Amino acid sequence: MAEESSMAAAELLRQAELLKQGAEARLYRAVFLGRPAVVKQRFPKRYRHPVLDERLTHRRTVQEVRSILRCRKAGISAPVVYFVDYTSHCIFLEEIVGSVTVRDHIASTQETHPNPERELEPLADGMGQILARMHDEDVIHGDLTTSNMLLRSGASDLVLIDFGLSYISALPEDKGVDLYVLEKAFLSTHPNTEALFDKLLKSYAAASKKSPAVIKKLDEVRLRGRKRSMVG
Amino acid sequence: MCSFMLVFQIIAKAAMTVVIGFEGSANKIGIGIIRDGEVLSNPRRTYITPPGQGFLPSETARHHRAVILTVLQEALEQAGLKPADVDCVAYTKGPGMGAPLVTVALVARTVAQLWGKPLLGVNHCIGHIEMGRLITHADNPTVLYVSGGNTQVIAYSERRYRIFGETIDIAVGNCLDRFARVIKISNDPSPGYNIEQMAKKGSQYVELPYTVKGMDVSFSGILSYIEEAAHKMLESGQCTAEDLCFSLQETLFSMLVEITERAMAHCGSQEVLIVGGVGCNLRLQEMMGVMCKERGAKLFATDERFCIDNGAMIAQAGWEMFRSGHVTELPDSWITQR
Ligand SMILES: Nc1ncnc2c1ncn2[C@@H]1O[C@H](COP(=O)(O)OP(=O)(O)O)[C@@H](O)[C@H]1O
Ligand SMILES: [Mg+2]
């Protein structure tokens, strides 16, 4: 059964259109039982030892599916998982049709809008809220960047994607690091957005029941970054 | 016609800029001379400690003090230049270890005043990147900067170097060096070099913790795991020291390649440049090369002459700054550990 389905998956991918080569997977456009779908395939990374590669790839496929389901159960927007093939490490996901990444949306708003800051404020609010709800479910995303959040076409609904590095934890430290990773990715990708990110954090703090401990940890992690010795 | 050419050559020669660079932020002391992108000389000495021991600030500074004038003489002689030929004196402002930085800055300041030349304080990290770009001709790369004190993924955007990923605890070189101390690997010529050679003889892959958080990495978990387990595994014959070196390298470098790839995907970049002391590890270069090939990207790297801390890199970064009109006034010629 597993072998059959994985053969079927391989066959499908041969005909599918390559949508994107992401940070660690290839995404193909496909149709699953008549619905628009994307297939996320974690192909073998030949630079790393096969034992390590198999271990990481398997764990990430499992984690991605698990965290998406956990989010969706809690009403947090993430793509529907249609089907998983653990042999070829493929996940069949609902395609968020006509979506753009938050990264591209911010970049184009910054280029075209006279007052991008104001224009993007509602988005920053929305990001803070969805992340607060995710953390309240004890889901640590593990790879928060603006490339891993989608905006539905024409709408302001956010969809969280790319949960391969995610895990479950209730620790404020883990949530604080999650926000720290986002902060650095956000500020380095989108210059001059300090105020916008601040807005995001404020909305996070207002929306999450457990935010004071998390924000305190975020401050600690930032400080640790600044105090690190840089010899050699 | 002839005299026109002669005048032209004289002008061209006069327009050439010669910068001498002083580096001593850690256990290497190097002085290099650059003339418009040409490395004229780049001598260096390393303070080597016995196996099991790291280098301490005051002893490192003492080492640098003892050899710096010899190295300076070598730099001038190998370049075939006199002090009068030098246009600017560059030195490492930081980050690095306080005592060695102060020692080297003091000498740089003194010669600048003796020779009557302008002084320039240079950021060590920028030195690594500018040197890498000079040697490899990489145009707009995603930079992996890996050394004893640094682990960063950097890209240039909006007229600034921006850090996309980094270690959230210790640097990769620090992790390697401290592992070497645990199992008493020699520091001569460097712990990293010896680990690399031993790893070639390892075959068994021992599972170690693997911690990547987005574009950031964490090495402290691996280090404490291996510090705890190494002796037990070696004594019970579960694996050899070579296997441990092999497994440690495979794990650490996989993490580095992974975050570099993630930053490339995020920035849409098609070039990688590896700089810093760990960057001369051929296994790291090989793994990065495989990743680049799979993405249709290009890898740029240099060898130990330019990867490991050296004076020419400070001269090169200084050259760029000097040409764009910067100098450091004497009262501002401080150093910084961060
Ligand atoms: N369900 C989806 N619908 C539409 N586009 C998607 C979907 N999932 C991913 N993408 C697109 O593919 C890119 C890479 O996907 P991602 O899951 O982030 O893979 P990686 O782990 O390789 O980064 C995303 O940034 C997004 O542009
Ligand atoms: Mg992604």
Side-chain angles (χ1 to χ4, degrees):
Chain A
M1 166 66 202
E3 215 147 277
E4 252 172 54
S5 65
S6 110
M7 295 249 298
E11 185 55 38
L12 218 155
L13 291 192
R14 247 195 300 283
Q15 297 161 7
E17 167 201 355
L18 181 68
L19 189 67
K20 233 169 206 181
Q21 172 140 3
E24 60 166 331
R26 292 200 183 109
L27 282 100
Y28 297 89
R29 185 169 276 139
V31 176
F32 187 82
L33 300 178
R35 288 179 221 148
V38 296
V39 183
K40 178 167 182 172
Q41 184 197 27
R42 289 190 160 79
F43 59 96
K45 299 270 163 177
R46 287 181 217 293
Y47 67 80
R48 61 192 175 205
H49 194 277
V51 174
L52 178 61
D53 185 60
E54 179 62 30
R55 180 181 126 210
L56 292 176
T57 304
H58 182 75
R59 184 165 70 199
R60 289 171 183 185
T61 305
V62 170
Q63 277 315 116
E64 175 138 37
V65 171
R66 202 174 274 168
S67 293
I68 289 179
L69 293 182
R70 192 171 171 122
C71 282
R72 287 189 56 83
K73 244 182 223 160
I76 299 160
S77 187
V80 183
V81 177
Y82 291 140
F83 178 74
V84 192
D85 178 10
Y86 290 106
T87 315
S88 62
H89 311 293
C90 284
I91 308 177
F92 290 63
L93 296 160
E94 163 199 9
E95 181 184 3
I96 312 299
V97 180
S99 59
V100 290
T101 62
V102 168
R103 179 190 189 282
D104 290 346
H105 178 74
I106 294 180
S108 68
T109 307
Q110 280 191 322
E111 255 174 45
T112 56
H113 217 272
N115 190 352
E117 191 88 356
R118 270 269 293 286
E119 181 68 16
L120 291 168
E121 263 185 23
L123 175 64
D125 273 338
M127 288 166 77
Q129 278 160 17
I130 197 167
L131 295 179
R133 288 171 60 206
M134 181 188 78
H135 278 176
D136 282 352
E137 292 300 318
D138 294 339
V139 175
I140 311 300
H141 185 282
D143 187 14
L144 286 178
T145 63
T146 48
S147 296
N148 289 336
M149 300 176 196
L150 301 182
L151 274 172
R152 281 187 201 276
S153 71
S156 56
D157 310 5
L158 282 160
V159 183
L160 298 179
I161 60 165
D162 202 357
F163 285 86
L165 297 180
S166 69
Y167 57 100
I168 305 301
S169 163
L171 294 179
E173 163 94 21
D174 291 331
K175 296 174 187 175
V177 170
D178 219 19
L179 292 179
Y180 179 67
V181 165
L182 175 65
E183 175 172 31
K184 287 197 315 174
F186 195 104
L187 297 180
S188 50
T189 312
H190 309 293
N192 313 315
T193 50
E194 281 76 8
L196 201 64
F197 190 78
D198 220 43
K199 186 93 188 133
L200 184 159
L201 280 184
K202 285 216 173 70
S203 131
Y204 175 95
S208 163
K209 296 164 228 148
K210 305 162 189 165
S211 65
V214 176
I215 301 292
K216 192 168 154 243
K217 281 292 170 188
L218 171 62
D219 288 335
E220 272 177 43
V221 181
R222 283 174 177 154
L223 209 64
R224 239 181 275 159
R226 248 171 269 136
K227 280 192 180 161
R228 190 170 36 245
S229 123
M230 303 239 280
V231 173
Chain B
M1 176 67 194
C2 234
S3 68
F4 170 77
M5 282 303 287
L6 193 65
V7 170
F8 180 76
Q9 275 174 2
I10 290 170
I11 292 173
K13 188 146 192 191
M16 286 217 172
T17 304
V18 176
V19 179
I20 188 167
F22 288 73
E23 155 62 30
S25 60
N27 68 333
K28 267 76 75 183
I29 164 83
I31 302 176
I33 300 178
I34 291 242
R35 181 173 58 203
D36 289 0
E38 187 190 352
V39 181
L40 299 182
S41 63
N42 199 16
R44 168 174 69 199
R45 298 283 190 283
T46 305
Y47 172 49
I48 292 167
T49 49
Q53 278 177 37
F55 49 93
L56 299 170
S58 65
E59 288 162 16
T60 309
R62 193 176 314 139
H63 166 267
H64 291 1
R65 259 199 306 278
V67 299
I68 191 164
L69 293 181
T70 317
V71 180
L72 175 57
Q73 198 162 11
E74 275 177 27
L76 288 167
E77 270 168 13
Q78 286 168 18
L81 295 182
K82 300 177 294 305
D85 303 322
V86 172
D87 295 298
C88 172
V89 177
Y91 73 97
T92 308
K93 186 176 71 184
M97 268 186 175
L101 279 173
V102 168
T103 302
V104 176
L106 186 81
V107 175
R109 240 180 345 242
T110 309
V111 299
Q113 283 174 283
L114 276 175
W115 300 348
K117 305 293 178 183
L119 193 62
L120 245 179
V122 170
N123 177 292
H124 182 83
C125 314
I126 304 288
H128 274 297
I129 297 173
E130 291 303 337
M131 196 66 200
R133 292 186 50 194
L134 172 70
I135 300 293
T136 65
H137 305 290
D139 174 38
N140 186 16
T142 297
V143 180
L144 175 68
Y145 173 20
V146 275
S147 66
N150 267 287
T151 304
Q152 293 177 329
V153 181
I154 300 165
Y156 195 78
S157 83
E158 304 255 334
R159 297 174 301 283
R160 244 186 69 190
Y161 286 111
R162 292 172 198 278
I163 299 171
F164 281 81
E166 61 187 325
T167 173
I168 50 180
D169 39 59
I170 59 173
V172 61
N174 192 246
C175 183
L176 287 166
D177 293 356
R178 282 162 70 176
F179 163 75
R181 269 178 250 159
V182 171
I183 64 166
K184 299 268 184 340
I185 291 174
S186 162
N187 292 327
D188 189 8
S190 76
Y193 178 83
N194 292 323
I195 292 173
E196 181 178 0
Q197 305 318 310
M198 284 173 73
K200 289 179 187 163
K201 300 190 203 98
S203 55
Q204 188 194 340
Y205 177 71
V206 180
E207 235 180 78
L208 297 170
Y210 186 100
T211 317
V212 163
K213 294 174 192 287
M215 290 181 267
D216 289 344
V217 284
S218 157
F219 297 122
S220 64
I222 301 180
L223 183 65
S224 46
Y225 177 88
I226 209 163
E227 275 175 345
E228 168 81 24
H231 289 295
K232 277 182 226 147
M233 288 193 277
L234 293 177
E235 274 156 30
S236 70
Q238 189 191 329
C239 65
T240 64
E242 285 77 11
D243 291 335
L244 282 182
C245 292
F246 169 71
S247 306
L248 183 64
Q249 276 199 171
E250 291 300 307
T251 309
L252 297 177
F253 296 167
S254 292
M255 291 165 62
L256 294 174
V257 175
E258 180 176 355
I259 61 167
T260 307
E261 180 167 26
R262 192 157 288 130
M264 289 170 80
H266 188 65
C267 303
S269 151
Q270 288 296 330
E271 283 183 0
V272 177
L273 169 65
I274 311 181
V275 301
V278 182
C280 60
N281 187 303
L282 293 179
R283 178 60 186 147
L284 173 60
Q285 292 185 11
E286 178 183 43
M287 290 167 71
M288 195 66 86
V290 172
M291 181 275 282
C292 285
K293 210 163 162 203
E294 277 177 352
R295 295 193 73 87
K298 234 177 135 185
L299 170 67
F300 299 93
T302 63
D303 62 34
E304 49 84 31
R305 288 170 300 166
F306 305 115
C307 246
I308 295 176
D309 292 352
N310 63 89
M313 66 185 234
I314 301 304
Q316 175 60 16
W319 185 89
E320 300 267 359
M321 291 166 72
F322 186 65
R323 291 284 281 224
S324 58
H326 293 272
V327 288
T328 304
E329 298 303 330
L330 213 51
D332 302 327
S333 62
W334 34 265
I335 61 106
T336 168
Q337 285 178 256
R338 298 194 202 294

